[in-house]
Amino acid sequence: MNASPGPARSAVLLVALALALTPATSAAESPQVSSSSEVSAPTPRVAQPDIRWRRISFGPKRKRQTAGYARRHYGLNTWRLQNPRVIVEHFTASTTLASAWWTFEGNSTYNGEKPGVCAHFIIDTDGTIFQLVDLGTMCRHAVGMNWTAIGIEMVGTSDRKIMRRERQYEAAQWLTLWLMERYGIDLGDVIGHSETLNSPFHRERVASWRCLTHGDWSHAHMKVFRDDLTDLARQEGVDLGSRVHREPSNCG
């Protein structure tokens, strides 16, 4: 003969019975509460191109020099790149990757100041992309722009020659589009070095430097570059932003 369940055991049995009679709810049906930090970012449309590392030396001394440069020219006390808003296209004015890399590695005085010049990327004549520094590092590649600009150098001595090298030119387009999507950079802020004086992001505190620029990647060739970039962006479904590049004007 079984004994009657005590009060505690009866309570347990009632809870078990209630759970058994409750309809099961799938994970998809159950309400989810998520914080904003758990919301995933949109999936990038542009795959990262093949990028190989070939680092230049950028230790504590060069970082201090860069922070000093940023104080003098931008009023900033940092060696870090500030929220990239611009991509500047260059050519190296040399015929080999090695000569350009050693120029950036050397950290030689330029225009009477250190740090030496550098860029974030070099694209070789065969289209191979090399990264030289982290994208959070400020590189000295274009007066007035270094505080917020990513620099892309292409091995070559003229815009025209680079545009005729299919693999190199296509690599530059893909790298630029990938960076545009990653940082939300508008098409109008993809510029040649010669166009820096017309950028709304141009900033230079030293009066004698305010009109300094270079002739590489002329406005005419950058117009073709941006047109081709537009076609590639549409093909990949990438938003090009709202700002259109302005026509060149004289430095005032």
Side-chain angles (χ1 to χ4, degrees), residues 129-145:
I129 302 170
F130 294 94
Q131 186 168 349
L132 280 61
V133 296
D134 296 324
L135 287 170
T137 297
M138 188 186 302
C139 251
R140 187 180 172 189
H141 59 94
V143 170
M145 306 300 302

Side-chain angles (χ1 to χ4, degrees), residues 26-140:
S26 69
E29 294 169 336
S30 59
Q32 298 289 322
V33 179
S34 61
S35 66
S36 58
S37 62
E38 292 172 335
V39 177
S40 9
T43 303
R45 294 178 181 272
V46 182
Q48 179 178 325
D50 181 20
I51 298 172
R52 304 180 187 182
W53 276 101
R54 190 161 181 177
R55 288 187 181 273
I56 59 171
S57 302
F58 215 106
K61 182 177 180 180
R62 193 163 184 169
K63 288 176 181 177
R64 287 195 301 272
Q65 292 169 345
T66 302
Y69 178 91
R71 279 195 301 274
R72 292 188 296 274
H73 295 275
Y74 308 124
L76 300 170
N77 186 28
T78 183
W79 54 269
R80 298 183 184 278
L81 186 62
Q82 302 295 294
N83 184 27
R85 303 307 307 154
V86 181
I87 299 169
V88 181
E89 311 287 350
H90 306 260
F91 63 72
T92 62
S94 64
T95 57
T96 66
L97 170 77
S99 62
W101 188 88
W102 279 108
T103 296
F104 298 150
E105 165 69 12
N107 194 28
S108 301
T109 300
Y110 184 75
N111 279 356
E113 293 189 21
K114 282 195 174 185
V117 293
C118 68
H120 297 87
F121 298 95
I122 301 178
I123 304 177
D124 206 352
T125 54
D126 65 357
T128 306
I129 302 170
F130 294 94
Q131 186 168 349
L132 280 61
V133 296
D134 296 324
L135 287 170
T137 297
M138 188 186 302
C139 251
R140 187 180 172 189

